[in-house]
Amino acid sequence: MTGNSASARRPVHSQRVEGLGTITLTPVDPAADAALIHSWVTEERARFWGMGEASRELVREIYEDVDRRTTHHAFLARRDGEPVALFQTYDCAEDRISECYEVQPGDTGVHLLIGPARGVAERGFSSGLIGAFLSYVLSAASTRRVVAEPDARNEKAIARLVRCGFELGPEIELPEIDLPEVHLPAKKARLAFFRPEAN
């Protein structure tokens, strides 16, 4: 039934990116996509994602929890049909980040994990992906500002956001979440904001 389940999820966004191909965003199907996501989040290069020790079952449970929510969403990004990234959005007012800064109406938070590089890293690949993601997030009438909070030690991700037009904010400490269905450790993060009118 996994194949049927995966095919039932339709892309919510499709965009042709010059020099990159067609990027589509499809809601994560926890049952169908857990194995792929698990293989990504448990790699050493994904250590800042905080799921390095997670089992495949736990990854599935986490994304089942996300799937039940109306304030948090997870998507697989595909480039010409091939999965290349995990992209998540959330309502900042309904997330632990709201304890760390003054949330403004229309703040939408984002997380991005680019999948394993195949061969030599392509010039413009990550910026092209981020551009497609921003187009999707900003297409929602409710979004006025995009908020990112990469791990404060993840200099590569922070530099990538700055190159894509994000303005850096202060360092924060996201509080631990310890619930039966999901555990997130405390995390030192760097806030970054994308304002459409400034770009």
Side-chain angles (χ1 to χ4, degrees):
M1 295 299 291
T2 296
N4 292 340
S5 177
S7 63
R9 304 237 167 169
R10 297 181 182 275
V12 296
H13 183 73
S14 182
Q15 181 176 337
R16 181 87 184 158
V17 178
E18 188 66 35
L20 201 60
T22 299
I23 303 299
T24 56
L25 296 178
T26 306
V28 165
D29 181 320
D33 300 329
L36 174 66
I37 294 172
H38 177 263
S39 73
W40 288 359
V41 300
T42 54
E43 288 189 337
E44 166 58 21
R45 61 176 202 85
R47 63 192 178 283
F48 296 122
W49 200 255
M51 294 172 65
E53 303 300 317
S55 65
R56 186 182 298 183
E57 183 58 34
L58 178 58
V59 168
R60 177 174 172 166
E61 288 173 7
I62 287 170
Y63 285 95
E64 284 174 344
D65 178 64
V66 171
D67 204 41
R68 284 190 292 268
R69 296 171 182 258
T70 57
T71 56
H72 292 62
H73 307 280
F75 307 93
L76 269 183
R78 290 180 171 83
R79 173 196 192 184
D80 296 332
E82 180 184 0
V84 293
L86 176 63
F87 179 60
Q88 296 178 204
T89 64
Y90 60 91
D91 179 346
C92 293
E94 300 296 328
D95 189 80
R96 63 178 176 164
I97 197 174
S98 64
E99 298 178 36
C100 303
Y101 86 106
E102 194 172 331
V103 176
Q104 296 179 10
D107 277 0
T108 297
V110 294
H111 296 297
L112 168 65
L113 176 65
I114 296 176
R118 303 203 188 283
V120 180
E122 289 180 62
R123 188 177 185 84
F125 179 74
S126 58
S127 60
L129 274 182
I130 292 172
F133 299 153
L134 287 173
S135 293
Y136 170 67
V137 175
L138 294 169
S139 69
S142 58
T143 299
R144 295 185 187 161
R145 183 170 69 161
V146 181
V147 182
E149 29 94 345
D151 190 294
R153 299 165 297 173
N154 193 345
E155 294 174 5
K156 247 174 112 174
I158 293 168
R160 183 185 299 137
L161 290 171
V162 170
R163 285 196 306 273
C164 290
F166 280 76
E167 176 188 322
L168 293 182
E171 281 195 14
I172 58 172
E173 177 150 351
L174 293 164
E176 177 186 44
I177 291 179
D178 195 5
L179 300 172
E181 64 275 8
V182 62
H183 174 262
L184 293 172
K187 168 184 150 182
K188 285 194 183 303
R190 183 73 185 267
L191 284 176
F193 303 97
F194 185 91
R195 296 174 175 83
E197 67 276 8
N199 289 273

